[in-house]
Amino acid sequence: MKQIFAITLLFAASVFASVAAGLDTTRIDELTGLKGKMNEKEGVYKVTFPRNDVKVVVDRWTMPPFMGLGTWAAFTETKNGAMVMGDTVLFEDEVNAAMSAALDNGLSVTALHNHFFFDHPKVFFMHIEGEGTIEKLASAVRKVYDTTKTIRGSNAKPAESFSVVGEPSLPEKNSIAAARLNEIFETQSELKDGMVKFTIGRPAKMHGVNIDKDMGVNTWAAFAGTDDNAIVDGDFAVTEDELQPVLRSLLKDKINIVAIHQHMTHEEPRIMFFHYWGRGRAKDLANAVKGGFLVGGLLKVSSPLP
């Protein structure tokens, strides 16, 4: 019996060694700049580091990184190479640069959300995933991490606004010209107190019931300010396959992504929602958002507002 047990242990050790060797954990360490740890039971190699470069206070308590401020990326071997999944701790002025770094280097961004209330500065968590070679995945993860280090290196204190130095404040009275934006979106807008809003629904099912725009399956864009000094904010409702290309489209045009999450359960098809914020000329912002509409095929699945 002892001999059988010993043979079993040797076999298991050889399997785990093979997994580790297949992952090339030494190379993961080199490329990410971190020292990881192997979970032999799961065949997962995980690198982590605490966000201890900025003091975070939650509910008036200074939070140690151990309590939930740890960035990580976990690698596991697949038949085509490897898969990586991870969660990245970010401050507000790091999110869009880190997201762009992830997308530009072949990673998918699957969620962006908060974990706390009453946190100062605000902390967000960006989930990533990807498949490919260890070289590709670990290098991409490193680029995301280096992006945040560069931002914090130039300013240890996270920014408190999207606005840049010298940018004029938004006017107190809104006066967006709806006609120009109606032409861009090729549909009629809603108007209120100088603000302009577009809403596009898409059909889906939930528990066998048809749902659409007014049940919450909609993409919208709202404009305020003036034609030359405007903001846009809104929400995209996209399928899982549409999420990454639409994110890329908006980020390319300098639209900030501020949340990625789900609004429903058991819907068909599965719908992901992401919220955004942009600043600039109303016409430029509208064209940027329309680009996201076109990439996601959203203009083809809905009737215009009456």
Side-chain angles (χ1 to χ4, degrees):
M1 184 61 115
K2 290 182 178 180
Q3 185 177 10
I4 294 174
F5 182 68
I7 292 172
T8 301
L9 285 178
L10 287 172
F11 176 75
S14 68
V15 169
F16 294 138
S18 174
V19 170
L23 285 176
D24 194 351
T25 57
T26 300
R27 189 61 176 148
I28 292 173
D29 289 349
E30 292 173 352
L31 291 170
T32 61
L34 301 168
K35 177 62 178 176
K37 183 178 180 181
M38 189 72 189
N39 180 328
E40 294 184 343
K41 181 179 180 180
E42 296 183 11
V44 171
Y45 191 72
K46 188 173 185 179
V47 296
T48 65
F49 71 91
R51 282 306 303 258
N52 54 14
D53 52 328
V54 176
K55 184 177 79 170
V56 174
V57 176
V58 179
D59 198 17
R60 297 181 294 180
W61 177 63
T62 300
M63 173 170 276
F66 179 78
M67 293 296 292
L69 296 172
T71 287
W72 59 268
F75 301 80
T76 191
E77 189 176 7
T78 68
K79 62 181 180 180
N80 296 319
M83 173 186 287
V84 66
M85 295 180 67
D87 198 0
T88 312
V89 181
L90 299 170
F91 298 100
E92 289 171 290
D93 60 347
E94 300 169 353
V95 167
N96 286 277
M99 189 178 298
S100 293
L103 294 171
D104 290 347
N105 288 279
L107 298 176
S108 294
V109 177
T110 56
L112 173 66
H113 51 208
N114 62 298
H115 286 187
F116 312 111
F117 282 165
F118 307 112
D119 45 329
H120 303 280
K122 296 294 294 182
V123 187
F124 284 83
F125 295 78
M126 183 180 79
H127 296 258
I128 57 173
E129 67 177 19
E131 291 188 62
T133 65
I134 285 297
E135 292 283 330
K136 172 187 171 183
L137 298 178
S139 296
V141 168
R142 176 65 177 269
K143 288 182 184 297
V144 174
Y145 296 169
D146 284 350
T147 298
T148 65
K149 291 177 181 178
T150 298
I151 293 171
R152 287 284 67 80
S154 61
N155 190 348
K157 182 180 178 181
E160 297 182 354
S161 172
F162 284 124
S163 299
V164 298
V165 176
E167 188 174 38
S169 300
L170 287 167
E172 292 185 9
K173 185 176 181 180
N174 301 303
S175 58
I176 299 292
R180 296 181 184 180
L181 304 188
N182 291 345
E183 184 178 350
I184 290 171
F185 288 108
E186 301 177 7
T187 190
Q188 186 64 37
S189 57
E190 298 176 71
L191 307 177
K192 182 176 175 60
D193 301 330
M195 298 174 287
V196 178
K197 186 175 184 179
F198 299 86
T199 305
I200 294 177
R202 66 183 308 155
K205 286 182 179 291
M206 188 172 178
H207 304 300
V209 178
N210 292 329
I211 54 176
D212 208 311
K213 176 170 69 70
D214 285 344
M215 290 295 286
V217 192
N218 61 62
T219 293
W220 60 270
F223 298 81
T226 66
D227 293 339
D228 292 325
N229 181 16
I231 62 102
V232 64
D233 75 325
D235 193 2
F236 267 75
V238 294
T239 65
E240 292 173 290
D241 289 340
E242 294 164 357
L243 177 61
Q244 307 306 317
V246 179
L247 288 174
R248 289 190 193 96
S249 177
L250 267 67
L251 286 167
K252 173 180 64 68
D253 288 324
K254 310 303 181 185
I255 302 294
N256 297 290
I257 310 302
V258 298
I260 306 171
H261 51 211
Q262 86 283 350
H263 288 185
M264 303 169 289
T265 59
H266 304 293
E267 74 277 15
E268 298 176 18
R270 187 173 188 227
I271 303 292
M272 302 296 295
F273 293 82
F274 74 84
H275 301 257
Y276 62 92
W277 177 277
R279 182 82 187 271
R281 295 194 306 168
K283 181 180 178 180
D284 296 337
L285 295 173
N287 279 315
V289 173
K290 183 180 180 180
F293 285 5
L294 293 172
V295 169
L298 295 169
L299 295 182
K300 300 176 182 178
V301 299
S302 174
S303 299
L305 286 173

